[in-house]
Amino acid sequence: MKVIPLKEGRFAVNKQKEFTRLQQGERIDDGRLKMAIQPFLIQTDNDIILFDLGLGIVQDGKPLMYELLEDEGVFPHQITKIVLSHLHKDHLDGIGHFSGNEFIPHFPEATLYIQKREFDFALTQKETYSYNSKILEILPSLSNIVWMEEDKGQITEELFFEVTGGHTPFHQVFWMRGQQTVFYAADNLPQKGYLDYAIAYKTDYDGKHAMELRKEWQTLAEKEHWMVLLYHDMKTPILYY
């Protein structure tokens, strides 16, 4: 199994969830949050999988994610599966972009796995800056989505999921189980610093629950020597236990 972070960049984020790319070495001191955006590429003997999709940045008509994949010797049509932890725009918008009124999907050959209850909740949040309602409204028209409704289960022999809530009501996390366990908790555990302090973050739907989950996961990670993927960490995309 091969695990590769695909870093779209480092960003400053304001309260309106507007993402501004930071230049190398640029510092900010204006109250905005700083974070990386980095989906993960997982290559196994049977699949090439993406964990989340990033912001969907398009440069000169070409998705940045295509370039990041091609740098790793992978072409977009080779992606077999895409799993979505939740539907905030910095995790979902890489699904495609609009050219005028036309929606152009970025990975039409891949099967996308989306939690149906998370989608239903997201549709009620049209006034919330975290979601891109235009992208959400296009999802039901896509033929390559598997709508997940179970609380936990398996997608493949190696890929497991569980709906945990926390950051959003139906946020889900993933394990790749093989010779080593790879764990992805997305925004329930987005940065290494979240493990240093027992904090219930107000930016989470249920911050206390997310905090308790992190304690459980860290104990298991240490016991079972997990590889933990950190979507928003600017320095440490992968933690090795």
Side-chain angles (χ1 to χ4, degrees):
M1 187 188 307
K2 189 175 181 181
V3 181
I4 302 168
L6 301 172
K7 193 170 184 177
E8 280 194 308
R10 299 164 63 250
F11 297 85
V13 189
N14 64 17
K15 292 181 180 180
Q16 289 73 42
K17 301 299 180 183
E18 296 169 330
F19 290 78
T20 303
R21 184 190 291 276
L22 296 172
Q23 302 304 314
Q24 185 67 32
E26 181 181 357
R27 297 187 178 186
I28 60 169
D29 188 22
D30 57 8
R32 289 180 295 170
L33 298 176
K34 293 180 291 184
M35 64 180 68
I37 304 291
Q38 50 201 359
F40 289 89
L41 174 68
I42 314 292
Q43 294 177 285
T44 72
D45 291 340
N46 301 311
D47 281 296
I48 303 179
I49 303 170
L50 285 178
F51 283 5
D52 283 337
L53 284 166
L55 285 165
I57 296 169
V58 176
Q59 300 178 159
D60 299 322
K62 181 177 182 179
L64 174 59
M65 190 59 60
Y66 284 11
E67 297 181 18
L68 297 176
L69 287 168
E70 290 166 12
D71 286 345
E72 301 299 334
V74 176
F75 291 95
H77 70 271
Q78 294 177 293
I79 302 297
T80 57
K81 294 178 176 63
I82 298 169
V83 295
L84 278 298
S85 60
H86 64 297
L87 300 180
H88 284 168
K89 61 187 178 183
D90 56 320
H91 293 255
L92 172 66
D93 279 12
I95 196 170
H97 70 278
F98 286 89
S99 178
N101 292 323
E102 180 186 4
F103 180 74
I104 301 174
H106 291 173
F107 299 97
E109 293 91 355
T111 302
L112 291 96
Y113 294 83
I114 297 176
Q115 178 56 234
K116 179 62 164 59
R117 289 168 290 176
E118 181 72 11
F119 172 70
D120 291 339
F121 172 79
L123 289 180
T124 70
Q125 304 298 300
K126 290 186 177 181
E127 303 303 318
T128 303
Y129 295 122
S130 295
Y131 297 93
N132 182 340
S133 60
K134 192 174 181 181
I135 290 285
L136 288 173
E137 290 167 2
I138 206 74
L139 294 183
S141 69
L142 302 182
S143 62
N144 58 329
I145 292 179
V146 172
W147 294 103
M148 306 164 72
E149 300 192 49
E150 300 85 358
D151 289 333
K152 58 182 175 181
Q154 285 181 251
I155 294 173
T156 71
E157 290 184 359
E158 300 169 296
L159 178 55
F160 295 75
F161 71 92
E162 181 176 348
V163 177
T164 61
H167 183 63
T168 63
F170 299 99
H171 188 294
Q172 52 190 7
V173 304
F174 300 92
W175 292 263
M176 292 291 299
R177 299 192 185 276
Q179 291 184 339
Q180 183 174 20
T181 296
V182 176
F183 177 61
Y184 178 59
D187 280 5
N188 278 329
L189 178 50
Q191 297 175 331
K192 182 176 179 291
Y194 277 54
L195 297 172
D196 296 335
Y197 306 100
I199 297 175
Y201 290 94
K202 293 181 180 180
T203 52
D204 289 334
Y205 180 81
D206 188 341
K208 184 176 180 181
H209 181 52
M211 178 184 70
E212 294 300 325
L213 287 170
R214 287 191 287 273
K215 293 178 185 177
E216 295 175 16
W217 293 329
Q218 187 172 27
T219 298
L220 285 171
E222 292 171 348
K223 180 180 179 181
E224 300 177 3
H225 307 294
W226 291 0
M227 181 189 301
V228 178
L229 311 184
L230 304 172
Y231 189 83
H232 288 307
D233 200 292
M234 294 197 294
K235 295 182 178 179
T236 310
I238 303 174
L239 272 180
Y240 298 91
Y241 283 92

